[in-house]
Amino acid sequence: MGSLGNVTPQSMHFAEPLRLQSGAQISDYTLMYETYGTLNADKSNAVLICHALNASHHVAGTYADNPKSAGWWDNMVGPGKSVDTDRFFVIGVNNLGSCFGSTGPMHTNPATGKPYGAAFPLLTVEDWVAAQARLAERLGIEQFAAVMGGSLGGMQALTWSIMFPERLRHCIVIASTPKLSAQNIAFNDVARQAILTDPDYHGGDFYEHGVVPKNGLKVARMIGHITYLSNDDMAEKFGRKLRNAAETNDYKFDFGIDFEIESYLRYQGDKFSEYFDANTYLLITKALDYFDPAREYGGDLTKALAGTRAQFLIASFTTDWRFSPERSREIVQALVDNRRRVTYAEIDAPHGHDAFLLEDPRYMNVVRAYYDRIWGECAAKEAA
Amino acid sequence: MGSLGNVTPQSMHFAEPLRLQSGAQISDYTLMYETYGTLNADKSNAVLICHALNASHHVAGTYADNPKSAGWWDNMVGPGKSVDTDRFFVIGVNNLGSCFGSTGPMHTNPATGKPYGAAFPLLTVEDWVAAQARLAERLGIEQFAAVMGGSLGGMQALTWSIMFPERLRHCIVIASTPKLSAQNIAFNDVARQAILTDPDYHGGDFYEHGVVPKNGLKVARMIGHITYLSNDDMAEKFGRKLRNAAETNDYKFDFGIDFEIESYLRYQGDKFSEYFDANTYLLITKALDYFDPAREYGGDLTKALAGTRAQFLIASFTTDWRFSPERSREIVQALVDNRRRVTYAEIDAPHGHDAFLLEDPRYMNVVRAYYDRIWGECAAKEAA
């Protein structure tokens, strides 16, 4: 297995307005994307990777100016890796409304000449998929070999199979859910309240004030982060270890840092608040809350998936309490009800929801084996 | 079963300084308390009830001026109830540093003539128990029939059995834990960050500014509240119900309220932020984090409990993911290791951590049966 080496982000502008599920529209927009590997002659080997909350189009490889800039799924995508870029033409795309170059709240609103801020429309997973579909068209890809994602990325992959059933042969949904639970929504809403009530948020128009609601973002990220880790893994890694146990084994009796876990979470929160956009955080958590493909079918997921044509790989992780295996099994059941061909892997991994981003031989091998099958089909198709 | 009817809070002043575990001291302090029932001639029927994070000395009964002011454990304590005030003399006491009348951060610091604010010392569960012990002495109670509490209150009961082994015959620890996990600490620290970074917190001295860090307190409470409810119970009660589903079944596409669960949690957060003190919230969460009686025994809970003399009732709730049954079983195991007499009840209840405050026949009956036994012993003692 090698590394992809240096990769280069690209951008594509779409001048046609995009009508959104809310009824609003975006007059024009830009999407950032990256591609790895080579599109074959019959364009049958394209794979689309959809990202989760805080990731981007930079899925794999590194940037020439920064050797530490490995993509967020670099352990999964590359030459000889589970998603083998010697075989597949892989596309990573930054979603609309995100903060890594695609059009978002920090960009200029053509209607006002000022940053969108609070005026940037709320989006749904369906809106993202509609925008991604236009990118695919412009790249000349009529049908993906696979659309794949983890967590919120998995929701996009599932939505592809519903909205564009003929435009993907395989749908790979990892550590995801057919809809958020009340508890999931609750955590998202607390995170939003932390941002919305930060005085530096300025009703979403903080750009003009030259500030960033860092405290709110920090708290939001700390909350989120707790839900990404498993209880057991947190106990194992941090337990009740004190921050400076080597120096003194005493409690500090102030509101500084006593425990390692506090130090870790505050650091994660601070780091996040330095690079992530508050409006993006808000709109992505709303897209998560709104995701519910069964909704227009009276809550019947089987009906919602009746029009799908793809084959499916669904994977979950035993210690994921954010989107537990039970939630993945609901998707599997609805697919089985529809007599779709579905492979389900429930992977015994200690790392909670975050497991979908981490190196784990069983996990990587499940995905590898599935892509071997996809590759076999591509080869057969080419030979035919 | 009747109601206690009207009850009256009392206060007691302690002029002697209290040396705290941090090394600091409180020069003098007042404790608010209430008593229900009658202390018998040999003073063998006294029960101390310890409160959790947001409760007070007002355990049972109502106040004459407010018929809706039932105490926080009124379903448990009263004439003919599980803790029968026709039999027992029950004491509720508000802890030092709390915000319901006992000396706390909002009171005048005798050293400065201004509110303590940030200068109020951090406290531990052991400090609370030491302060409660002085109250017991002044009330002439040499030995409690039982000391009892849920959650943080259970930690105080357990600490009584360690610090004053001869001063209680029974120790009742409900929905508690021998120490917080990394995840528990993480949730507490996020809540604290929300308060500490609220500009209205003013480093703890907000009293002088005539403001209250309501936004921070609200977020803190929302986080806490999520951990008090079970995932299943939240799904059952709220699911994905929309707030105004009768009017319109559409998403709002703004950051107002879409889902019932958002409405419920924000309401709980707002209500809490109107009556609870931010400094009290901070210091109580630190007392929770610091609680770890095994710490000075190299983490060996069995050793920490070796000096106890009481008999124990330990109870937990199956859906409590804040302090899960597993944590109660650790206490049980350490007591069994010490050949203490211990009764353990794991109650199948859907309501998560909050179950310890709620009406549930199985739960109430377990406690009732245990108090019947205590009463039998009291009667035998009196007859002897």
Side-chain angles (χ1 to χ4, degrees), chain B residues 91-102:
Chain B
I91 303 169
V93 55
N94 188 218
N95 284 328
L96 206 50
S98 179
C99 49
F100 298 104
S102 293

Side-chain angles (χ1 to χ4, degrees), chain A residues 22 122 179-180 182 189 192-193 199 239-240 249 251 253-254 258 262 266 286 289-290 292 295, chain B residues 22 122 179-180 182-183 189 192-193 199 239-240 249 251 253-254 258 262 266 286 289-290 292 295:
Chain A
S22 63
L122 288 194
K179 61 181 184 233
L180 263 60
D189 196 51
R192 283 192 295 267
Q193 290 303 308
R240 296 180 54 84
N249 197 30
Y251 292 148
F253 290 100
D254 61 31
D258 274 299
E262 296 174 307
R266 291 189 202 178
K286 284 304 273 189
D289 290 359
Y290 285 162
D292 183 7
R295 190 164 173 262
Chain B
S22 63
L122 288 194
K179 62 184 183 226
L180 264 60
Q183 191 188 67
D189 197 49
R192 283 192 294 266
Q193 291 304 308
R240 295 179 54 84
N249 197 31
Y251 293 147
F253 291 101
D254 61 29
D258 275 298
E262 296 173 308
R266 290 189 204 179
K286 283 305 272 189
D289 290 359
Y290 286 161
D292 183 6
R295 189 163 173 263

